[in-house]
């Protein structure tokens, strides 16, 4: 519903409204009874992100309209107030993060990956393995599923997520102290991050062991989500730290407080020795016409079976006509646009 820029504009407004010391009555002003189930977060910025996630996940636009008006009563964000006016005139144009009970990130569609959804649900409830590796080529939805993990965290509030990209330019931003510090803050731990060993890789082993032992006592589990790894750009001590965590979370007592999720095109080639074995990797196949048809049928049941197939074929034909050779990293972006349009048409059809 919102562009990235509109989100960046709205978050500080929510943060200012909440104030530096976030209080329950103020949260209730914005999200109602959801405030009673708010997670234990540190700082108004994290609460503002949580408020926005809750707001955008609603099936109707009422909460979003209220939030915009309350946090920007001076009207300094005209684009958002224009959206509010359009929603009041026609609530049916509201696009929630959830469609028919299935999660749909705003910029990519979520194809119903049943096996992975089931596994994540098991992990959320405290079961499953301490680590998973999700494998897929560019454009199959790895980053979409990272968004889904963050969605699960914001909705169920049973675990926190620390997301890191260790590929592209982002890989250059992460050194061992900053990664450990971020994980320490997310887990509410008091772990020293100074280099106390002359060999950085040895220090990585020490820190991974310290954090893993503390993980057994954290008040709320943390999932470390790695969205891509470039072994040529990531510092060796960072890889060693990650590999040691993968080893430690194989212990069930540690996995209850810390899990590691790797989303990568070719995990076997990133130099991690303690990844789950290849036969337990979760592969994401290419999104096909059948995938789209099945998603539409689950989102809007009760239509004639052939209508889902025809609609899915039309979606792919429209993409082919408009973007004959779409970049693979934008494939889901275009698919989302046409699938959501098809969803609305199916929902409003009399068939």
């Amino acid at each position: 519903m919102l562009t990235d820029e509109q989100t960046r504009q709205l978050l500080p407004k929510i943060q200012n409204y909440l104030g530096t010391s976030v209080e329950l009555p103020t949260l209730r002003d914005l999200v109602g009874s959801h405030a009673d189930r708010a997670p234990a977060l540190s700082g108004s910025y994290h609460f503002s992100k949580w408020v926005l996630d809750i707001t955008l996940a609603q099936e109707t636009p009422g909460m979003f309209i209220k939030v915009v008006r309350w946090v920007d009563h001076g009207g300094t964000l005209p684009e958002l107030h224009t959206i509010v006016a359009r929603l009041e005139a026609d609530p049916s144009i509201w696009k929630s993060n959830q469609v028919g009970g299935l999660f749909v990130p705003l910029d990519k569609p979520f194809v119903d990956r049943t096996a992975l959804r089931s596994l994540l649900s098991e992990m959320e409830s405290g079961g499953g393995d301490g680590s998973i590796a999700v494998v897929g080529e560019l454009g199959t939805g790895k980053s979409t599923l990272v968004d889904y993990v963050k969605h699960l965290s914001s909705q169920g509030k049973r675990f926190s997520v620390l997301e890191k990209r260790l590929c592209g330019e982002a890989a250059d931003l992460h050194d061992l102290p900053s990664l450990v510090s971020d994980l320490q803050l997310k887990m509410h731990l008091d772990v020293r991050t100074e280099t106390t060993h002359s060999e950085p890789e040895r220090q990585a082993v020490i820190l991974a062991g310290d954090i893993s032992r503390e993980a057994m006592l954290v008040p709320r589990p943390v999932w470390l989500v790695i969205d891509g790894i470039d072994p040529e750009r990531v510092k060796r001590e960072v890889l060693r730290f990650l590999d040691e965590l993968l080893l430690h979370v194989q212990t069930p007592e540690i996995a209850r407080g810390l899990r590691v999720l790797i989303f990568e095109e070719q995990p076997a080639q990133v130099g991690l020795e303690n990844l789950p074995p290849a036969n337990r990797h979760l592969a994401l196949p290419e999104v096909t016409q059948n995938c789209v048809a099945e998603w539409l049928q689950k989102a809007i049941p009760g239509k004639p079976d052939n209508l889902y197939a025809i609609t899915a074929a039309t979606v792919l034909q429209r993409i082919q006509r408009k973007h004959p050779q779409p970049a693979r990293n934008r494939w889901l972006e275009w698919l989302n646009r046409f699938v959501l349009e098809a969803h609305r048409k199916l929902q409003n059809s009399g068939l």
Side-chain angles (χ1 to χ4, degrees):
M1 195 70 205
L2 300 183
T3 65
D4 289 344
E5 180 59 30
Q6 289 166 344
T7 299
R8 282 192 290 269
Q9 293 172 356
L10 184 54
L11 279 173
K13 293 290 185 180
I14 298 174
Q15 185 178 2
N16 290 339
Y17 183 88
L18 294 175
T20 55
S21 180
V22 179
E23 297 181 356
L24 186 57
T26 310
L27 278 178
R28 285 198 184 115
D29 287 343
L30 298 181
V31 298
S33 61
H34 292 282
D36 298 325
R37 300 186 297 276
L41 300 173
S42 58
S44 57
Y45 173 73
H46 297 290
F47 271 107
S48 66
K49 292 182 69 175
W50 176 79
V51 166
L52 187 56
D53 286 342
I54 291 292
T55 301
L56 294 176
Q58 300 306 299
E59 294 183 358
T60 59
M63 184 182 292
F64 174 79
I65 292 171
K66 180 176 71 171
V67 166
V68 171
R69 285 191 166 154
W70 282 41
V71 305
D72 188 39
H73 54 80
T76 61
L77 303 177
E79 288 185 8
L80 288 170
H81 287 277
T82 298
I83 293 174
V84 164
R86 290 172 52 210
L87 288 168
E88 288 185 314
D90 183 9
S92 67
I93 66 173
W94 171 252
K95 291 191 296 185
S96 167
N97 278 6
Q98 296 189 65
V99 177
L102 298 180
F103 176 66
V104 183
L106 298 180
D107 57 343
K108 312 179 192 72
F110 179 69
V111 180
D112 188 24
R113 307 293 194 182
T114 304
L116 184 55
R117 283 165 59 95
S118 299
L119 177 58
L120 292 174
S121 178
E122 181 183 3
M123 292 169 62
E124 185 182 17
S125 300
D129 295 331
S131 65
I132 63 171
V134 180
V135 184
E137 295 183 0
L138 190 65
T140 54
K142 296 185 300 298
S143 293
T144 300
L145 287 164
V146 170
D147 289 343
Y148 179 66
V149 171
K150 293 187 290 186
H151 171 78
L152 281 180
S153 173
S154 67
Q155 295 298 298
K157 295 171 286 295
R158 295 183 180 181
F159 63 95
S160 300
V161 171
L162 178 62
E163 177 194 358
K164 293 293 180 182
R165 283 187 62 81
L166 300 181
C167 58
E169 293 182 359
D172 301 330
L173 302 177
H174 299 295
D175 56 19
L176 181 61
S178 66
L179 177 57
V180 172
S181 178
D182 288 346
L183 191 54
Q184 166 195 348
L185 290 172
K186 184 66 70 170
M187 298 173 70
H188 302 284
L189 300 181
D190 181 18
V191 177
R192 293 172 61 87
T193 60
E194 296 89 345
T195 300
T196 58
H197 199 283
S198 59
E199 298 179 12
E201 289 189 57
R202 179 57 184 164
Q203 179 64 7
V205 173
I206 295 171
L207 289 170
D210 290 343
I211 283 182
S212 297
R213 284 187 290 273
E214 294 288 338
M216 293 185 283
L217 303 174
V218 295
R220 186 183 186 199
V222 172
W223 292 12
L224 176 60
V225 178
I226 307 298
D227 186 9
I229 302 173
D230 183 348
E232 299 299 321
R233 300 186 72 160
V234 179
K235 295 177 175 62
R236 291 181 59 86
E237 60 267 27
V238 171
L239 280 178
R240 185 61 183 274
F241 175 77
L242 182 58
D243 205 20
E244 288 296 310
L245 289 183
L246 286 166
L247 175 63
H248 287 297
V249 298
Q250 295 175 24
T251 302
E253 291 78 10
I254 294 174
R256 281 195 284 269
L258 176 65
R259 297 179 191 265
V260 181
L261 290 72
I262 308 289
F263 294 78
E264 168 58 37
E265 288 186 50
Q266 298 177 315
Q269 298 184 19
V270 299
L272 297 174
E273 297 180 359
N274 295 306
L275 279 169
N279 62 357
R280 284 172 41 219
H281 289 180
L282 291 158
L284 300 180
E286 183 180 356
V287 180
T288 64
Q289 179 178 318
N290 285 340
C291 292
V292 176
E294 290 173 5
W295 186 89
L296 289 169
Q297 188 168 17
K298 290 182 179 181
I300 318 168
K303 305 291 183 180
D305 289 343
N306 65 335
L307 187 58
Y308 301 114
I310 293 171
T311 303
T314 302
V315 165
L316 298 184
Q317 289 167 5
R318 290 189 64 192
I319 296 176
Q320 181 64 26
R321 285 197 300 268
K322 195 170 183 66
H323 307 283
Q325 292 182 319
R328 291 305 301 170
N329 63 334
R330 298 196 66 191
W331 166 247
L332 290 182
E333 179 184 338
W334 292 115
L335 186 60
N336 174 74
R337 180 174 301 181
F338 292 115
V339 166
L340 291 184
E341 183 178 329
H343 174 275
R344 287 194 294 273
K345 290 180 178 179
L346 273 178
Q347 197 169 39
N348 295 328
S349 71
L351 296 175

